[in-house]
Amino acid sequence: MSENSRTYPGGCLCGAVRYRLRHPRAAYWCHCTLCRRASGSAALPWVTVERGDFEVVQGVLKLYASSPGVVRGFCGACGSPILFDMAREDAVDVSLGTLDDPDALPPTHHIWTSTALEMAQGLGPGLPRHGAEAP
Ligand SMILES: [Zn+2]
Ligand SMILES: [Zn+2]
């Protein structure tokens, strides 16, 4: 995906937070229990970008430290989960479902399928599945 130079806009449910990203590196489904609780969904699709390729252009993200060294950013008004930021990495993850056009970046694999729900088995059929992090 690195040859892709277009800009992808997105935002939260209420519209208070707007962002844009560029140079998507990967898109994937996460089946971990933390993403499940953070989103209220059976699985959460993410797109990975360099930290500098994600920019909030309106509003501010409210931050929650969901694990040591991990911050999740969401809209403080409507609760939409938007950002996953691991301080030790140079990349961040942005929730695909908050993009204006999520189908522009279809997920290519699954992670944390060791904790995937039965009801989520039909998502992204045929894509590589990794029990924990992607290798
Ligand atoms: Zn909002
Ligand atoms: Zn996850």
Side-chain angles (χ1 to χ4, degrees), residues 11-17 74-80 82:
C12 66
L13 173 62
C14 76
V17 175
F74 58 96
C75 173
C78 72
S80 292
I82 291 177

Side-chain angles (χ1 to χ4, degrees), residues 59-122:
V60 288
L61 287 175
K62 196 162 169 70
L63 302 177
Y64 169 66
S66 61
S67 310
V70 175
V71 165
R72 288 173 189 262
F74 58 96
C75 173
C78 72
S80 292
I82 291 177
L83 187 69
F84 179 90
D85 188 347
M86 232 177 205
R88 65 181 158 83
E89 297 196 350
D90 62 357
V92 298
D93 295 305
V94 182
S95 62
L96 261 184
T98 61
L99 286 173
D100 291 349
D101 182 15
D103 274 337
L105 296 170
T108 59
H109 60 281
H110 299 264
I111 66 170
W112 290 106
T113 56
S114 58
T115 54
L117 295 181
E118 193 62 38
M119 70 174 77
Q121 295 298 330

Side-chain angles (χ1 to χ4, degrees), residues 13-93:
L13 173 62
C14 76
V17 175
R18 294 290 301 168
Y19 67 81
R20 62 185 170 217
L21 60 84
R22 292 178 310 137
H23 307 125
R25 296 207 314 206
Y28 63 94
W29 284 101
C30 185
H31 297 267
C32 84
T33 58
L34 299 176
C35 285
R36 190 186 307 158
R37 290 214 188 256
S39 67
S41 186
L44 187 52
W46 294 102
V47 55
T48 305
V49 297
E50 300 278 332
R51 184 171 277 105
D53 286 331
F54 172 79
E55 181 188 11
V56 173
V57 295
Q58 177 186 301
V60 288
L61 287 175
K62 196 162 169 70
L63 302 177
Y64 169 66
S66 61
S67 310
V70 175
V71 165
R72 288 173 189 262
F74 58 96
C75 173
C78 72
S80 292
I82 291 177
L83 187 69
F84 179 90
D85 188 347
M86 232 177 205
R88 65 181 158 83
E89 297 196 350
D90 62 357
V92 298
D93 295 305

